Amino acid sequence: MKKNILFAIGMTALACSCNDFLDREPLDAVPVEKYLLSENDLAAYTAGLYNSLPSHQPGSYNIGVFATDNNSDNQAASSPQTLFVNGENRVAQSGGAWNFSEIRSANYFINRVRPLLEAGELGGNEANNKHYLGEAYFFRAFYYANKLDSLGDFPIIKTTIADNYEAVKQASQRRPRNEVARFIIENLDSAYYFMSNTPPASNRLTKDCAALLKSRVALFEGTWEKYHKGTARVPGGPGWPGAQKDYLKGFTIDIDAEIKYFLGEAKKAAQIVADNYQLYGNYPALFNSNSLSSMPEALLWRAYDAKLTPSVNHFVVGYIQRNGGGNSGYTRSMINTYLMQNGLPIYAAGPDYKGDRTYQDVIDGRDPRLAYNTLVPGDMLTEKAGMTEAIIDGAGYYYRAPITEMDENRCPTGYSIKKGLTTDPSQGPTLPATTACVIFRAAEAYLNYMEADYELNRSLDANSQRYWKAIRERAGMDTDYEKTIRNTDLTKEIDLARYSGNDRVDATLYNIRRERRVELAAEGFRLRDLRRWCALDKMQNYQVEGFNLWAENYKRYATPDAGINGQNFDKALTVIDLKEAGTEGANVSAKSDGDYLLPYRVISSNIAYNGYNWNPNRYLFPIAFDHFRLTTEVEGSGDYTSSPIYQNPGWKIETNSLPEGE
């Protein structure tokens, strides 16, 4: 039974097994002691948690999850990513990641349902009830994984907290991040134990989803502790703020043992999934099909149905079909990461690499995933007869990237996103689309295993070798990864991930990171990876680069109506050399800044005009001021040392304050 999931608005469009629940009185009219006693109750409650999973949001006018990597060096939007700009990251007055509402929902279910299940007091099928309990453990782990990613140390709360000051203060005590990560793993072990291989309905999580998430979290924590070791961002490190709290005075940690534990758990969990699922042969079909039911690699995916009332659809396809815009584009750094199809880096390929003067030069002889993921002139956008190579209201064939369009329809870098494109004319360019959205897929487990294995042993075991070859074989690549390693010169790579902190990694580890970057392009993994690898430190005066505009590609923008029939989709290129004029009005960067399009050096008022600059204090996000104010002994005293909460390193307990060093 496939694991597709059809999301609707809230819990109003669930599997038919929940229909009895939907016919009942509103929850606020049901006495608490009568709720969560039946299988249908359990199914409906946990189904309501699924909307927290990443996917194309119904009704949203954007390219969905394919734009998530705009927050990294993989892709760029029209506006810079403020996380990378000095002066743009401040301590908020309220809100932020210090929030417990989702955790509270999972805790309520677990604390009520598990005793009833163990006492045999639940109605319905016992195996199904166990599965729904397993889902609640999964989601509690998922919520905590997001806290670990954003804040690191975090309170571990398993029960409902009484609504009084002392209880809240006690519950606000942060636990070291390694303990939080172990708590997440414990929850995923419980999820794996309770959930079934075949869920009660075809739209639910499975045991293998729990194993995959476990491998992700364990790898995240193991590599975070390894590469942030010796800083205040790891418990017990110099300047770690938790050491100042009495409730953590007795805390000790063997950091090397913790790293080994987490990487070992990542390997074991990843192998469970990798050995259970072969990679699906058609890579693009994972992202442009209406149904993934025939693709076992997709462990969980979101389905859409425009025939429902209200309709459950998205507009991802329309943005790609119209012109390859959607306010996102791949960077030159991302494109250069792709190898040649024979496994050689572009600088080692000799005459086989044609360069990047034209789109065709870029893709010739390259890893087929480059053409799967990136639009090039001549690519069919929509199956409509009689169209030539031009953009005509989104119909026909791709002609040029919309680098000067309005933000919503723009490709800021000149390398348009193709992942997710279907040429079905009924789904674009302005029509609702119903292509499925992958949430968990087995290829990640292959990559997680390889990385954890090498980080542990500095060698690749038989499983890692088999997984790496399988990924390349599915892509249509030469499977000899050792040839790639031998020919890798890290001084010629422009990928931030060739470093961890100030240290250059070895060629094998870099190529494992390279494979991950390429395979998971536009799927929202990159920023988390860069942060756990401590790979952003070299982002200093860093200019985001797009395609080679000024060698040949500028000719495609010679007139506003390039194409046919006078259709005006892009303005003509307007260049004002800001180094000399210092005026506004340009729509592309000047040739005097180099051949490559620099999306943030178009006008001088852009906050990233002089480049991105990383502050290591931003590896962890700050906690908003109000959370300290509300947990002090005397509110308004200005003394926040009595709060059990401690601020993350490099940040002040002061609204609107900048991190240290800015």
Side-chain angles (χ1 to χ4, degrees), residues 13-63:
L14 305 174
C16 58
S17 62
C18 302
N19 287 346
D20 292 343
F21 173 80
L22 297 177
D23 292 335
R24 297 182 180 185
E25 297 176 279
L27 287 183
D28 59 6
V30 180
V32 172
E33 66 272 11
K34 294 184 179 180
Y35 182 51
L36 291 180
L37 290 174
S38 71
E39 180 183 338
N40 284 343
D41 289 350
L42 273 57
Y45 189 103
T46 50
L49 305 179
Y50 276 74
N51 282 318
S52 61
L53 297 173
S55 64
H56 308 321
Q57 291 304 303
S60 296
Y61 288 87
N62 51 48
I63 58 171

Side-chain angles (χ1 to χ4, degrees), residues 30-273:
V30 180
V32 172
E33 66 272 11
K34 294 184 179 180
Y35 182 51
L36 291 180
L37 290 174
S38 71
E39 180 183 338
N40 284 343
D41 289 350
L42 273 57
Y45 189 103
T46 50
L49 305 179
Y50 276 74
N51 282 318
S52 61
L53 297 173
S55 64
H56 308 321
Q57 291 304 303
S60 296
Y61 288 87
N62 51 48
I63 58 171
V65 299
F66 300 132
T68 308
D69 279 342
N70 284 349
N71 65 4
S72 74
D73 61 337
N74 277 10
Q75 293 167 225
S78 299
S79 298
Q81 172 53 241
T82 56
L83 179 64
F84 303 142
V85 180
N86 286 340
E88 295 295 318
N89 300 266
R90 298 173 182 268
V91 175
Q93 175 73 32
S94 60
W98 191 272
N99 179 289
F100 299 85
S101 58
E102 292 179 322
I103 293 170
R104 188 181 304 117
S105 296
N107 282 345
Y108 171 74
F109 185 95
I110 292 169
N111 292 329
R112 175 156 177 78
V113 169
R114 183 160 184 170
L116 294 172
L117 179 66
E118 292 173 346
E121 297 177 4
L122 293 175
N125 183 283
E126 182 179 9
N128 291 348
N129 291 337
K130 286 183 176 180
H131 182 88
Y132 299 130
L133 177 59
E135 288 189 338
Y137 277 108
F138 176 94
F139 280 107
R140 185 162 73 176
F142 181 79
Y143 301 146
Y144 262 94
N146 290 335
K147 305 303 182 187
L148 181 71
D149 175 48
S150 300
L151 299 174
D153 302 354
F154 198 73
I156 296 176
I157 300 175
K158 305 177 185 178
T159 60
T160 303
I161 306 303
D163 189 15
N164 64 69
Y165 172 78
E166 286 302 326
V168 171
K169 183 178 178 182
Q170 182 70 22
S172 297
Q173 294 182 357
R174 298 178 75 180
R175 299 307 306 172
R177 62 176 301 129
N178 64 306
E179 293 183 10
V180 177
R182 282 177 174 267
F183 176 66
I184 295 169
I185 287 174
E186 289 170 5
N187 276 262
L188 290 168
D189 285 342
S190 294
Y192 189 87
Y193 173 80
F194 285 113
M195 284 199 291
S196 304
N197 284 316
T198 303
S202 61
N203 62 341
R204 314 298 295 214
L205 291 156
T206 65
K207 297 169 80 75
D208 288 327
C209 293
L212 181 58
L213 183 58
K214 179 179 176 179
S215 75
R216 180 188 298 180
V217 172
L219 179 63
F220 178 89
E221 186 59 18
T223 50
W224 181 287
E225 292 184 16
K226 177 173 182 177
Y227 292 113
H228 293 263
K229 179 181 175 182
T231 74
R233 300 184 292 275
V234 170
W240 175 57
Q244 304 303 313
K245 292 298 178 183
D246 288 339
Y247 63 84
L248 287 173
K249 288 296 185 184
F251 172 77
T252 60
I253 185 172
D254 182 339
I255 190 67
D256 293 326
E258 290 294 279
I259 293 168
K260 184 176 181 180
Y261 164 75
F262 287 117
L263 294 175
E265 290 297 301
K267 273 189 67 173
K268 289 186 289 186
Q271 185 176 356
I272 290 172
V273 178

